[in-house]
Amino acid sequence: MRTTDWLPDGFTVKRIATNDTHLSVAVGGNGPVLVLLHGWPQTSRAWARVMPALARTHTVVAPDLRGTGESDRPEDGYAKTHQADDVRGVLHSLNLAGPVAVAGHDIGAMVALAWAASHPDDISRLVLIDALLPGFGLEEAMNVAEGGMWHFGFFMTPHIPEMLFDGHELEFVTATFTAMANPGTFSKTDLVAYARAYTGRDRLRGGFNHYRTLLDDGRDNRALLARRKLPMPVLAIGSNHSGTTTAKALEPHAVAVEGAVAPTGHFVAEEDPTWFTETVTSFLA
């Protein structure tokens, strides 16, 4: 059953056919287009606290990425350049012309980067929020032999994570979100909603499929940006865990990169909506 109790006033949810799948997309506001791409294990609900303020100056488009939320969960098509075409199709269906501003968090930032690298004329300004980027630092960060983060390789393994997480979704979401966010950020209702969005092996598979393309995504990004730097202004927002890592990684590959460090953990838009809105709005202006 579709749940939109989190949807801010003035927004509607549309189901849109695009790129041989269907995405659930929240749309609202007026003005230049701003696309918001969520991370894992979240849905477009991740933007609920900032959507009303952003909609005062922008037409906000916030899809559930393929494999997540109320969008379809196809077996394949999770390469980040392919998902960029998902979103391009959404904008075409909505008759929203570009170039557009794009802000992505976590996995959504990876899709945003792939979009900007593969179709730079589509993007007016690019905001990347607390994400390691395939091809530009992610591979080193996930190298467990050098003390890197183990979970990337685990999530990329076929079938096994779905089997082990099945029945433990709320435990995992609660532990992860609590560890990576400022205390009090997420209510019990929030945690239950995100866990429900990934409950069961089919929904878990859709989420983990975003990880299973990461090595290919890195090769794609390096090839694309070897030919041409990102021409649009880029804002790379880090957290109190990651700092300016992403901004520094992108500097050789973009014409203009600005770094900012949020006074938050990983979930910037939910932990400090005011800081996020003011920072992003100022950059877009």
Side-chain angles (χ1 to χ4, degrees):
M1 181 176 65
R2 177 174 296 176
T3 302
T4 57
D5 55 345
W6 62 269
L7 197 68
D9 290 343
F11 281 80
T12 59
V13 171
K14 304 175 185 293
R15 184 168 176 81
I16 297 177
T18 174
N19 202 20
D20 296 323
T21 191
H22 293 81
L23 299 191
S24 177
V25 185
V27 184
N30 291 284
V33 177
L34 170 61
V35 178
L36 302 176
L37 302 176
H38 67 83
W40 182 94
Q42 295 189 283
T43 67
S44 53
R45 181 191 181 104
W47 307 108
R49 301 178 192 183
V50 299
M51 287 163 70
L54 294 173
R56 295 187 194 120
T57 52
H58 289 81
T59 298
V60 175
V61 179
D64 289 346
L65 299 176
R66 72 164 55 204
T68 68
E70 301 297 338
S71 292
D72 286 355
R73 294 182 289 280
E75 292 290 333
D76 53 18
Y78 292 85
K80 305 306 174 287
T81 51
H82 193 79
Q83 291 195 68
D85 287 335
D86 291 353
V87 187
R88 298 178 82 221
V90 165
L91 296 180
H92 179 77
S93 294
L94 293 172
N95 294 314
L96 295 175
V100 302
V102 181
H105 173 237
D106 188 75
I107 292 290
M110 300 179 190
V111 177
L113 174 65
W115 186 4
S118 57
H119 300 283
D121 293 341
D122 288 359
I123 311 298
S124 59
R125 288 182 177 255
L126 177 65
V127 182
L128 304 173
I129 306 151
D130 209 43
L132 294 165
L133 301 175
F136 305 108
L138 172 65
E139 292 79 1
E140 292 78 8
M142 60 188 275
N143 181 2
V144 293
E146 299 292 335
M149 291 177 279
W150 63 271
H151 70 280
F152 286 98
F154 174 57
F155 292 169
M156 291 165 66
T157 305
H159 310 304
I160 301 299
E162 293 96 307
M163 177 183 71
L164 297 178
F165 277 64
D166 190 12
H168 301 280
E169 296 87 353
L170 181 57
E171 294 173 71
F172 171 74
V173 166
T174 300
T176 300
F177 284 38
T178 301
M180 299 180 70
N182 288 334
T185 298
F186 297 103
S187 68
K188 181 68 172 179
T189 299
D190 294 326
L191 297 173
V192 168
Y194 283 132
R196 185 183 298 119
Y198 288 85
T199 291
R201 296 197 188 189
D202 189 49
R203 289 180 176 273
L204 287 166
R205 175 192 55 77
F208 291 129
N209 277 344
H210 290 277
Y211 286 83
R212 290 166 181 155
T213 64
L214 290 181
L215 297 181
D216 288 337
D217 295 332
R219 287 186 280 268
D220 289 343
N221 287 341
R222 286 191 295 270
L224 287 165
L225 293 182
R227 297 198 296 265
R228 177 183 180 181
K229 289 185 176 184
L230 295 172
M232 73 291 295
V234 180
L235 172 63
I237 297 175
S239 68
N240 54 26
H241 301 298
S242 60
T244 58
T245 300
T246 300
K248 291 176 181 176
L250 275 185
E251 280 177 356
H253 309 286
V255 172
V257 179
E258 177 183 341
V261 179
T264 68
H266 180 57
F267 302 95
V268 180
E270 288 161 294
E271 293 180 58
D272 197 333
T274 299
W275 184 93
F276 179 87
T277 301
E278 291 176 351
T279 300
V280 170
T281 300
S282 176
F283 173 71
L284 297 181

